[in-house]
Amino acid sequence: MGLTKLKTSKKREHMLESLSPFQLKDNLIKLAQEESRQSTTVMLNAGRGNPNWIATTPREAFFTLGLFGLEECRRVMDNTEGLAGIPEKKGIAKRFEKFLAANKTAPGIELLQKVYKYGIKQHNYNPDAWVHELAESVIGDQYPVPDRMLSHMEPIVHDYLMKEMCNDEPPSGKYDLFAVEGGTAAMCYIFDSLMQNFLIKKGDKIALMVPVFTPYIEIPQLERFGFDVVQLKASTMNKDGRHTWQYPDSELNQLKDPSIRILFTVNPSNPPSTAIDPDGLSKIIRIVKKDNPGLMVVTDDVYGTFVPGFRSLMAAIPYNTIGVYSFSKYFGCTGWRLGVIAVHRKNMFDESISRLPAASTKALTKRYGSIALDPQHIKFIDRMVADSRMVALNHTAGLSLPQQTQMMLFAAFALLDTKNKYKKLTQVLVQKRLRLLWDELEIALVKDALNAGYYSEIDIQVWSEKVYGEKFFIWLKQNFEPVDILFRLAERTGVVLLNGGGFDGPEWSVRVSLANLPTASYPLIGRHITEIMRAYAGVWKSNGTLKK
């Protein structure tokens, strides 16, 4: 593969570099599609993190539960024109038990049986109340009540978070949960309510651990927020000069500054896909407890289940932390839009609101006065629920009942999988793809137990200097834009990747999603990247110059 002239000029590359990686991706897709139409090349879009697997059993349970829900509706009223009643609570548990016994071979029936018993045995649910909520929820005939999260769903999802986000070692006490439309909605609600409740204000200083999911870089820059962002860079390198994607003391020590109001992190990171190591977690915990006790922490832990023994900051410093979890990646359900916000019942957010100056308290009393006689006692997490519907529409707030049902079934499925069979399958799958990709590169994969393997960030500068020498990279930088390799991949091979610089990672790096393509695609992607690197090196070795 030679360095033939691209359809995209260097000037155009430079202009497109200013876009979000996800907008840049659209331009690359068009080029890759054109290449596919003109040749036998198959477009391989490894730019997005939507997984190409799904969890089947919880879905089977959902659809089978739906049949029971419909039976219950028709039992109350059944019109041949398609009109039915709604589930009746009295005696519904016995009817459900008969349904389970009569449908022993139905898809997902075993999980439904176990979920039913789990609620009764582990949480002492009233059987009729439990099954009535299941039937109404799968049918979706009611508004969410309670609006924050259904009373029987919340404890089961709570159990799941304690297992997966706290490594089965939760802190004392309980968390309140807010079921939301995925992790993205969670972040929108959190940013908004922190502002609405005077916990942060426009122009405040916040810390952001980078590289990070691009919207978390862009949101603080919006005019509404205008935050002063301090970046904590995962800049540590091992003795071989390779990234470990951890945070040196010099970066973490910036958190000692009391003017930094919030720490935002995605853990494991995106795109390095690496969890914060125990040493880094310990340093953050010490800084919060000793130097900056007023620091608020927001942690997005969507990839935590891909790291064995993962433990979130929400488990380590629950008083200071808002936890965000999305079911989308692990269970292959991005289209379901399932996420949850977790706030410990003993938290600094409620206490900070209680200590606000009189003018702020008066303003908040007015804001929330229509939904409570004593609005000053509304928990911060419940304020988020109200804020998510502009307060006035609080009575219709909350995630839809069918969504909450599927969320609960995903959670229960993982809880009841005591041998972690499903978890091991997903972890093995992404790790296999990671190895297959790197086996085709000219530099070895750095083995790391904290690497989730959901994405891989490949540093082109490190590659260039390790394989071809520092002078080669100087030449590369002088003659090409950092995104040039992305355009060559798209135009010449039909491969679409994202630029790592767009995630505030190394400018000369690329992100590969290891989730959304067939496993056999990843060696091919690795070979194509290597071929382009060798093509660059071939021109450099031949004369070391290029026409501008």
Side-chain angles (χ1 to χ4, degrees):
M1 182 186 295
L3 280 185
T4 53
K5 187 176 180 180
L6 292 175
K7 298 171 186 175
T8 309
S9 67
K10 183 177 180 181
K11 181 179 179 181
R12 177 71 173 165
E13 286 181 351
H14 183 72
M15 291 171 61
L16 291 172
E17 226 167 1
S18 64
L19 295 175
S20 160
F22 300 100
Q23 299 304 315
L24 175 61
K25 169 180 60 66
D26 293 340
N27 288 270
L28 297 171
I29 287 173
K30 290 177 184 178
L31 294 169
Q33 288 173 334
E34 187 174 337
E35 165 63 16
S36 297
R37 285 194 296 268
Q38 295 176 357
S39 69
T40 58
T41 300
V42 177
M43 187 181 79
L44 298 174
N45 181 2
R48 196 162 191 186
N50 192 93
N52 66 343
W53 65 78
I54 65 163
T56 56
T57 304
R59 285 175 167 90
E60 290 173 338
F62 177 86
F63 293 121
T64 297
L65 179 61
L67 295 176
F68 172 74
L70 283 170
E71 279 187 13
E72 284 298 300
C73 292
R74 288 181 172 132
R75 176 184 167 274
V76 174
M77 179 174 65
D78 190 11
N79 187 291
T80 56
E81 299 300 320
L83 182 70
I86 62 174
E88 184 180 57
K89 183 176 178 180
K90 185 178 179 180
I92 195 171
K94 291 296 183 184
R95 296 193 295 275
F96 186 55
E97 290 172 6
K98 288 180 180 179
F99 174 85
L100 294 171
N103 294 275
K104 291 181 179 179
T105 61
I109 200 74
E110 184 179 353
L111 178 58
L112 286 179
Q113 177 78 49
K114 291 180 178 178
V115 168
Y116 172 57
K117 291 180 178 178
Y118 183 91
I120 294 169
K121 291 182 179 180
Q122 298 298 319
H123 293 288
N124 199 31
Y125 289 165
N126 174 278
D128 277 349
W130 175 211
V131 178
H132 188 245
E133 183 173 282
L134 287 173
E136 285 205 318
S137 298
V138 77
I139 292 300
D141 64 296
Q142 300 290 327
Y143 288 111
V145 179
D147 47 17
R148 180 163 53 76
M149 195 167 187
L150 298 179
S151 57
H152 293 86
M153 306 289 179
E154 182 175 0
I156 294 176
V157 175
H158 185 282
D159 291 349
Y160 171 76
L161 293 178
M162 297 307 96
K163 176 186 176 183
E164 301 295 0
M165 298 295 100
C166 303
N167 194 30
D168 263 338
E169 298 175 10
S172 59
K174 296 286 185 180
Y175 294 81
D176 286 322
L177 306 184
F178 176 17
V180 295
E181 307 90 334
T184 49
M187 282 298 173
C188 292
Y189 296 156
I190 290 167
F191 270 105
D192 181 54
S193 285
L194 288 172
M195 291 282 286
Q196 296 290 358
N197 287 277
F198 306 108
L199 297 179
I200 52 173
K201 63 181 185 298
K202 184 176 180 179
D204 272 355
K205 188 180 289 187
I206 70 169
L208 186 63
M209 301 182 89
V210 298
V212 72
F213 184 47
T214 307
Y216 297 168
I217 301 170
E218 297 169 345
I219 290 172
Q221 298 171 6
L222 294 174
E223 194 278 335
R224 179 185 178 190
F225 302 110
F227 294 137
D228 179 8
V229 179
V230 176
Q231 291 194 343
L232 310 184
K233 297 180 180 179
S235 56
T236 58
M237 310 284 276
N238 64 18
K239 62 182 181 180
D240 297 320
R242 302 290 303 281
H243 291 284
T244 64
W245 303 112
Q246 297 298 333
Y247 304 86
D249 289 354
S250 58
E251 295 293 305
L252 295 180
N253 283 338
Q254 295 182 77
L255 295 174
K256 293 180 180 180
D257 178 359
S259 68
I260 294 179
R261 302 291 297 120
I262 308 178
L263 168 64
F264 284 97
T265 182
V266 175
N267 182 31
S269 53
N270 176 4
S273 216
T274 302
I276 302 172
D277 65 21
D279 187 48
L281 288 173
S282 295
K283 286 171 183 167
I284 293 171
I285 294 165
R286 284 199 302 271
I287 289 170
V288 168
K289 291 184 175 181
K290 181 182 176 181
D291 303 292
N292 195 358
L295 182 69
M296 295 176 279
V297 178
V298 179
T299 180
D300 179 346
D301 301 326
V302 60
Y303 307 106
T305 48
F306 296 94
V307 176
F310 176 77
R311 187 168 170 80
S312 166
L313 281 166
M314 68 174 273
I317 41 175
Y319 178 78
N320 295 73
T321 304
I322 299 173
V324 174
Y325 179 75
S326 168
F327 289 74
S328 60
K329 305 303 195 294
Y330 188 42
F331 296 102
C333 61
T334 54
W336 265 103
R337 312 310 297 136
L338 304 178
V340 65
I341 298 171
V343 180
H344 198 274
R345 289 178 182 172
K346 184 178 181 181
N347 65 80
M348 68 171 296
F349 310 97
D350 290 335
E351 294 192 18
S352 296
I353 289 172
S354 71
R355 296 195 299 267
L356 287 170
S360 298
T361 299
K362 183 178 179 181
L364 292 176
T365 297
K366 181 178 180 181
R367 177 176 179 81
Y368 299 109
S370 64
I371 61 174
L373 294 176
D374 53 350
Q376 66 271 23
H377 294 133
I378 299 175
K379 294 180 180 180
F380 174 67
I381 195 167
D382 291 316
R383 293 170 187 237
M384 270 195 277
V385 179
D387 293 335
S388 74
R389 298 297 183 269
M390 291 184 162
V391 183
L393 292 168
N394 180 67
H395 64 289
T396 58
L399 189 67
S400 79
L401 271 62
Q403 285 174 287
Q404 293 197 45
T405 305
Q406 184 67 89
M407 181 191 295
M408 181 277 296
L409 289 170
F410 283 136
F413 170 65
L415 282 168
L416 295 165
D417 181 10
T418 55
K419 294 184 179 179
N420 288 322
K421 293 179 181 178
Y422 179 82
K423 178 185 279 190
K424 290 173 183 175
L425 283 174
T426 60
Q427 291 176 349
V428 167
L429 180 61
V430 293
Q431 291 295 329
K432 180 179 181 180
R433 293 174 177 180
L434 178 66
R435 289 194 303 272
L436 288 172
L437 171 72
W438 280 82
D439 282 349
E440 298 298 330
L441 305 183
E442 294 178 304
I443 51 177
L445 173 67
V446 176
K447 294 181 180 179
D448 185 355
L450 296 172
N451 187 341
Y454 199 89
Y455 303 107
S456 189
E457 186 162 10
I458 304 169
D459 191 323
I460 300 302
Q461 179 175 353
V462 170
W463 181 338
S464 299
E465 294 177 349
K466 286 287 180 185
V467 177
Y468 300 107
E470 187 177 350
K471 290 183 179 179
F472 167 66
F473 179 69
I474 293 172
W475 171 86
L476 192 67
K477 190 164 59 170
Q478 288 173 342
N479 287 279
F480 300 96
E481 290 295 316
V483 296
D484 187 78
I485 190 170
L486 299 182
F487 284 90
R488 292 187 185 278
L489 283 166
E491 287 192 21
R492 299 290 179 256
T493 72
V495 170
V496 176
L497 307 180
L498 298 187
N499 54 318
F503 298 80
D504 278 358
E507 186 180 27
W508 284 80
S509 67
V510 297
R511 185 190 87 155
V512 184
S513 168
L514 298 161
N516 68 331
L517 292 173
T519 301
S521 302
Y522 290 97
L524 184 59
I525 291 172
R527 286 196 291 273
H528 284 321
I529 299 172
T530 296
E531 288 166 0
I532 289 175
M533 289 299 293
R534 287 174 176 169
Y536 286 132
V539 174
W540 172 69
K541 289 176 181 177
S542 64
N543 55 28
T545 60
L546 279 178
K547 292 182 179 179
K548 302 293 183 183

